[in-house]
Amino acid sequence: MKVRKAVLPVAGLGTRFLPATKASPKEMLPLVDKPVIQYVVEEAKLSGIEQIIMVTGRGKRAIEDHFDASYELEDLLKKKGNHKMLRELKTISNLVSFCFVRQSEALGLGHAILCAKEVVGNEPFAVMLGDVIVDSEVPALRQVLDVHHRFNAPVIAVEEVEPSEVSRYGIIKPEKVEDGVYRIHDLVEKPKQGEAPSNLAISGRYILPPETFSAIEQAAPGNLGEIQLTDALKTLVQNGPVYGCLVEGKLHDTGNKLGFLQATVELALKNPEFGEEFRDYLKGLRL
Ligand code: UTP
C-alpha cells in the first residue's frame, strides 16, 4: 500500500534551545536561508508524500502561516517586480496538502503521533521529526520508503554514532540483512556505553503501520508522564519483522544549539550563492 501521509510532530517545547524558543518554534529557526521545517517538508514532497499532518501546539502558529498563502506579500512582490521571490513563495504554499492537528499538552513524541490517529486512518504512514534534517543525494525518507516497499514491513531510519555517544540515543539491536538494512530485534533507550547492543541510533524517520496507534495507547507513560514512541516500537518488534535502514547522507539534529550551529555551517558552505565566500571567511578567522 502506498505511503501517502507523513506525520510531523512539532509540538515539543524546545527546552534545549531556550531562550530562543521561548516565544517562537525551534522548527522556524532559519537554517541558512529557510526555516528548518521547510527542509523536512521538501524532503517529504521529494519522497512522494501527498499529505502532511503537522502536530502543533501552543506558540506554533508561525509554522501554519509559513506554509499558507501570503496574499499581502505576494501582492507587494508583484508590484516591486520581484518575480523570482514571488515564485519561491508560491512554491512553499503549494508544496503538498497540509493538515494541522493540535497536541494540547506536550506529553511526549508517542502522544504527539497519537494525536494524528483520526487523520491517518487505517493505512501505513511516515513519521518525520521536525527538527532533524538530512543532507543527502536521495531524500532520506525515500531511502526508508524503498526498504519498506521491498520488505513490506515497518522501517526505522538509523545512523551510526560514536560508541561514546550511544547514551544520547535510542539504539537498535540489529541483525544485518544486507548492506545498510538490518532486522531490528530490540530497541534500547539511551543505553550506557558498553551496554549498547550496537552503535546504530534511531534517527528521526519512520514508516509505521496503523497498529502503531493502539501500541502507543497501551504504552505506559514513562519519565515525567511522557508517552514515548520507543515502547510502541518495541511492541511492533515483538509482533513481526521491523527493519532499520542506514540512511546515506549527513544527519543534523537541529534541536540543540551545537547541532544547529554545525548544520548552519555545513549547509552555508554548500550554498551556491555565497558558499565560497563563506569558506574564505572561515579560513580567514584566527582560530
Ligand atoms: P524533542 O525531544 O527533540 O523535542 O522531540 P522537544 O521536546 O521540543 O525538545 P527539548 O528536549 O524540550 O529541547 C522530538 C520531536 O517531537 C516533537 C518535537 O517538536 C520534536 O520535533 N514533540 C516532542 C512533540 O510534538 N510533542 C511532544 O510532546 C514532544
Side-chain angles (χ1 to χ4, degrees), residues 9-16 26-27 103 106-109 112 129-131:
V10 292
L13 301 177
T15 52
R16 283 168 300 159
K26 63 176 171 181
E27 298 81 3
Q103 184 190 25
L107 290 176
L109 177 58
L129 297 196
D131 54 0

Side-chain angles (χ1 to χ4, degrees), residues 17 31 252-265:
F17 225 125
L31 202 51
H252 295 286
D253 177 3
T254 69
N256 68 82
K257 293 173 186 175
L258 182 61
F260 181 83
L261 275 177
Q262 289 165 338
T264 302
V265 172

Side-chain angles (χ1 to χ4, degrees), residues 98 114 122 175 277:
F98 289 96
L114 195 55
N122 193 24
E175 176 198 344
E277 222 175 304

Side-chain angles (χ1 to χ4, degrees), residues 68-79 86 89-90 93:
D68 198 0
S70 166
Y71 296 110
E72 301 89 337
L73 257 183
E74 287 173 18
D75 203 41
L76 185 72
L77 291 171
K78 220 179 281 172
K79 282 188 188 132
L86 184 63
L89 284 199
K90 284 195 177 223
S93 50

Side-chain angles (χ1 to χ4, degrees), residues 127-142:
V127 171
M128 307 173 81
L129 297 196
D131 54 0
V132 173
I133 65 153
V134 190
D135 182 16
S136 59
E137 254 170 53
V138 179
L141 189 69
R142 199 189 304 160

